Amino acid sequence: MTVTKPLIEPLIALRICSPSGVFHPGDLLRCEYQIDAVQPAEIQAVEVSVLWITEGKGDEDLGVHYFERTTPSDSVDGDLRQLHCLQTHLPRSPLTYNGFLVKIRWCVRVRLFWGRGKQMHVDRLFQLTSRDH
């Protein structure tokens, strides 16, 4: 009988520092993220991005507002599991849109590259709306 160990995936904690999750153009978006349940030597890279995605009829589209990639060589001790903070001022457009045929959604994404070619990501949605709302 062969016994295989269950695969335990790393944990990605991601928090948007806003009680409402609603932002306006020019607002400062602040986030915190942390990686856990994985050995430092297994982490190849961590990418964090702020992006918008279209959903609905037709081709899906994606736009990246902010992107940062870190590798163990970017850290003093090579350990990317510690708490990281992200800050960026949000653009004027596109605004969050929840139409019948097309939706525009904003999110913060943390992507982890680990092990031998494995990757996973966590998204946190937020809204970018005009000040009139």
Side-chain angles (χ1 to χ4, degrees):
M1 177 191 330
T2 304
V3 177
T4 57
K5 288 177 140 180
L7 177 64
I8 299 173
E9 290 195 342
L11 299 174
I12 302 173
L14 171 57
R15 182 174 80 93
I16 295 175
C17 303
S18 165
S20 70
V22 177
F23 296 89
H24 305 292
D27 281 356
L28 183 66
L29 171 72
R30 292 186 320 114
C31 303
E32 298 176 339
Y33 64 94
Q34 187 169 10
I35 310 297
D36 199 6
V38 64
Q39 293 301 314
E42 285 204 56
I43 299 174
Q44 297 166 347
V46 176
E47 294 177 349
V48 60
S49 53
V50 177
L51 51 100
W52 55 266
I53 304 167
T54 62
E55 299 174 358
K57 191 170 181 146
D59 293 335
E60 292 188 0
D61 201 2
L62 176 141
V64 178
H65 167 69
Y66 175 92
F67 179 82
E68 180 180 354
R69 179 180 173 94
T70 53
T71 61
S73 65
D74 297 323
S75 177
V76 173
D77 60 1
D79 189 354
L80 296 179
R81 297 176 304 170
Q82 66 271 16
L83 183 68
H84 292 270
C85 296
L86 151 75
Q87 293 189 92
T88 184
H89 287 277
L90 293 169
R92 300 176 69 87
S93 67
L95 298 177
T96 299
Y97 181 71
N98 198 19
F100 181 72
L101 295 177
V102 176
K103 296 174 181 19
I104 300 173
R105 305 207 187 276
W106 278 90
C107 72
V108 178
R109 174 174 291 168
V110 175
R111 179 170 295 187
L112 172 66
F113 297 86
W114 63 288
R116 293 188 177 127
K118 299 174 194 158
Q119 62 176 291
M120 62 184 296
H121 73 272
V122 170
D123 291 350
R124 291 288 177 265
L125 295 174
F126 67 91
Q127 294 182 26
L128 181 61
T129 64
S130 70
R131 294 209 181 268
D132 301 336
H133 284 90

